[in-house]
Amino acid sequence: MTLKQTDPEVYEIIEAEKQRRREGLEMIPSENHTSPAVLEALGSILTDKYSEGYPGKRYYGGNEFIDKVENLAIERAKKAFLVPYANVQAYSGTPANTAVYLAACEVGNMIMGQSLPDGGHLSHGANATFSARFYKSQPYHVKSDGYIDFDEVWRLAREHKPKLIWVGASAYARQFPFAEMAEVADEIGAWLAADIAHIAGLVVAGVHPSPAPHAHIITTTTHKTLRGPRGAIVMATQKGLEKDPDLGKKIDKAVFPGGVQGGPHNHQTAAIAVALKEAMTPEFKEYAAQITKNAKVLAAGLMERGVKIVSGGTDNHLMLIDLTPYGNGLGIFLEEALDMAGITANKNTVPQDPSSPFYPSGLRLGTPCITTRGMKEKEMTEIAAWIARVVDLIKDYQLPEDKGERKSYLRNFRKEVAVSETLKKIKEEVIELSKKFPIPAIH
Ligand code: DSN
């Protein structure tokens, strides 16, 4: 029986999501559209199997083929990222980063990561998370020009002597300075962990420098620029194994049984293996190069139209629109108006955001999905023009200072933009463009 026959409700929801994507542009930089082959592996019977442990050392029988697929994923990860050790079992990014803490730190150690409002990741020491609860967290920041503040990094590292330093972020549009961060970590004897979740596909393709020569540990999710299924990989570099020859074993033990997860998701492991094979092809190299070309053209197109971009551009797949020239906390207005026009992006803080993370003053945009669909520079210019028109449409709204007034103000905003002729027109044009560039796994 098909899904349509057994569960028409779920079937219809999936179909509706497909239709939303067919007619819109996904521009959240941490998302991508996987290939049919990745989806086939992900939807396979491998999901049925329990296999706690690692290849050759399982707590359950019947794992000879699961061992094969996990070994294949491990070997491909090692080859793709040029590292001697990889664990492919972590369920996703935060569990992977949790394993790093468990492998490299003791509870109560000092750790340092890029501040959350400055583009860092929650699991790198943000207050709301375990990483600030079980460890002492000292965040570093970016300067007002959007680049990492190295004077501060050096000062904080020397003063606080963290056991672990994170390099990597979720909303940083510039190259990650792996070599400079390694100098800091090496001077104070800290572990350097590079979280390359966002840029993994660019790293494999050689479009962004690799952290492998500089960091001790590398983590990545597999579903962003790498274009695989949801999942993660934790790696030890040669440098990491030289610092501690047991690092690999410690990471394995941290992921399972020491971490926050049980049996591996074998269907996910198989799909990661498929994605890694795809990522090592010449076509993927071209794809990754096009992601960054597209991002540069998009950022330039927005700036030409008067839209402010944090740091004045991008080196990777994402950019941050800074709406503070018009007021504070306008990210939600732009996100919602773009959504109505069929462009999906996410509100985001900007460096030194004068508003709050709930009402941030920026918007994050990325090109991985639209590049997967085959869009190039010409389409980026068109998209830049649409986004600039939407910025123009929302820029005179002002988030009320009084928190109690915000809900009704936003309700009114939604009512007004819902009937905007500009948005209606843009939406029609977005649908027309989207239909010309089908998503590989959506027919
Ligand atoms: N949630 C991811 C992102 O959007 O960047 C990071 O984990």
Side-chain angles (χ1 to χ4, degrees):
M1 291 255 277
T2 63
L3 177 63
K4 191 175 180 181
Q5 290 160 333
T6 55
D7 194 335
E9 276 170 288
V10 170
Y11 174 83
E12 288 307 333
I13 292 169
I14 296 172
E15 288 304 303
E17 172 64 7
K18 281 187 191 168
Q19 188 59 11
R20 185 188 73 79
R21 293 191 200 178
R22 272 188 206 109
E23 295 196 339
L25 303 173
E26 298 302 309
M27 296 192 69
I28 293 174
S30 46
E31 294 182 0
N32 212 328
H33 302 302
T34 49
S35 69
V38 165
L39 281 184
E40 193 178 331
L42 194 64
S44 70
I45 49 98
L46 300 188
T47 193
D48 299 341
K49 191 78 193 93
Y50 257 123
S51 43
E52 275 99 328
Y54 289 97
K57 288 171 281 181
R58 306 281 187 185
Y59 292 91
Y60 292 81
N63 272 302
E64 59 267 41
F65 300 111
I66 299 299
D67 280 3
K68 273 193 180 173
V69 86
E70 187 168 333
N71 277 327
L72 197 55
I74 290 170
E75 288 312 312
R76 287 180 183 171
K78 283 160 50 176
K79 194 168 163 199
F81 291 99
L82 304 172
V83 292
Y85 166 85
N87 180 305
V88 294
Q89 289 193 9
Y91 292 166
S92 203
T94 296
N97 290 347
T98 308
V100 173
Y101 288 105
L102 293 171
C105 298
E106 297 298 329
V107 171
N109 281 167
M110 175 66 74
I111 60 114
M112 248 172 83
Q114 190 167 325
S115 143
L116 182 67
D118 287 29
H121 190 258
L122 276 163
S123 64
H124 298 176
N127 276 339
T129 72
F130 76 99
S131 60
R133 190 163 157 203
F134 299 143
Y135 305 92
K136 290 191 200 98
S137 168
Q138 175 54 65
Y140 60 85
H141 301 86
V142 297
K143 296 174 287 176
S144 52
D145 65 3
Y147 285 80
I148 290 172
D149 183 346
F150 260 98
D151 290 342
E152 187 199 44
V153 171
W154 274 109
R155 185 173 53 72
L156 293 173
R158 285 178 172 147
E159 186 182 331
H160 297 283
K161 302 260 182 322
K163 185 83 191 282
L164 169 76
I165 301 178
W166 287 103
V167 54
S170 295
Y172 190 67
R174 294 305 179 179
Q175 264 188 18
F176 288 106
F178 298 129
E180 291 91 328
M181 278 292 187
E183 266 183 58
V184 179
D186 291 346
E187 184 188 287
I188 58 162
W191 291 103
L192 182 65
D195 180 343
I196 59 166
H198 265 260
I199 54 161
L202 309 183
V203 169
V204 171
V207 175
H208 187 293
S210 166
H214 309 290
H216 302 104
I217 303 167
I218 302 173
T219 64
T220 183
T221 49
T222 46
H223 47 273
K224 298 186 174 94
T225 49
L226 194 61
R227 210 162 65 182
R230 283 187 177 277
I233 309 174
V234 188
M235 294 166 264
T237 63
Q238 191 54 43
K239 186 175 167 183
L241 292 179
E242 280 161 18
K243 186 168 161 72
D244 180 352
D246 286 334
L247 180 60
K249 277 186 222 143
K250 287 180 182 170
I251 290 173
D252 276 349
K253 274 194 191 154
V255 172
F256 178 84
V260 288
Q261 63 184 63
H265 292 173
N266 300 307
H267 56 305
Q268 185 180 30
T269 304
I272 289 173
V274 175
L276 286 167
K277 182 170 182 184
E278 289 180 358
M280 287 187 277
T281 59
E283 293 76 25
F284 192 89
K285 230 184 215 315
E286 258 177 58
Y287 162 65
Q290 190 66 46
I291 290 179
T292 57
K293 275 189 222 161
N294 282 353
K296 281 185 199 302
V297 174
L298 181 64
L302 287 164
M303 289 188 291
E304 271 163 31
R305 290 167 178 83
V307 178
K308 189 172 172 196
I309 300 290
V310 172
S311 84
T314 175
D315 296 330
N316 55 32
H317 61 301
L318 69 80
M319 68 212 66
L320 267 178
I321 292 181
D322 180 354
L323 296 165
T324 54
Y326 316 114
N328 299 341
L330 291 184
I332 191 168
F333 295 85
L334 185 56
E335 179 189 301
E336 292 195 10
L338 283 173
D339 220 9
M340 287 184 207
I343 298 174
T344 309
N346 69 282
K347 59 184 180 301
N348 211 97
T349 48
V350 292
Q352 283 129 41
D353 201 311
S355 189
S356 76
F358 299 104
Y359 290 99
S361 304
L363 183 107
R364 194 178 62 150
L365 282 172
T367 53
C369 291
I370 52 180
T371 309
T372 291
R373 294 170 82 162
M375 294 184 196
K376 296 220 161 85
E377 289 86 334
K378 177 172 166 280
E379 289 74 36
M380 297 307 119
T381 308
E382 249 178 294
I383 295 169
W386 291 328
I387 295 174
R389 277 161 65 196
V390 181
V391 170
D392 211 44
L393 188 79
I394 62 100
K395 73 180 192 315
D396 294 328
Y397 287 93
Q398 289 299 323
L399 185 72
E401 292 273 334
D402 180 345
K403 288 188 182 157
E405 285 175 24
R406 288 179 178 172
K407 265 196 180 151
S408 66
Y409 189 85
L410 275 165
R411 247 197 320 269
N412 190 46
F413 158 77
R414 286 177 195 122
K415 252 194 234 155
E416 285 178 14
V417 288
V419 294
S420 154
E421 282 304 317
T422 308
L423 283 189
K424 221 194 269 166
K425 181 83 185 34
I426 295 175
K427 173 136 196 167
E428 282 164 16
E429 290 167 5
V430 165
I431 293 176
E432 207 181 302
L433 177 73
S434 299
K435 286 193 167 157
K436 283 194 228 152
F437 292 92
I439 295 170
I442 298 181
H443 310 290

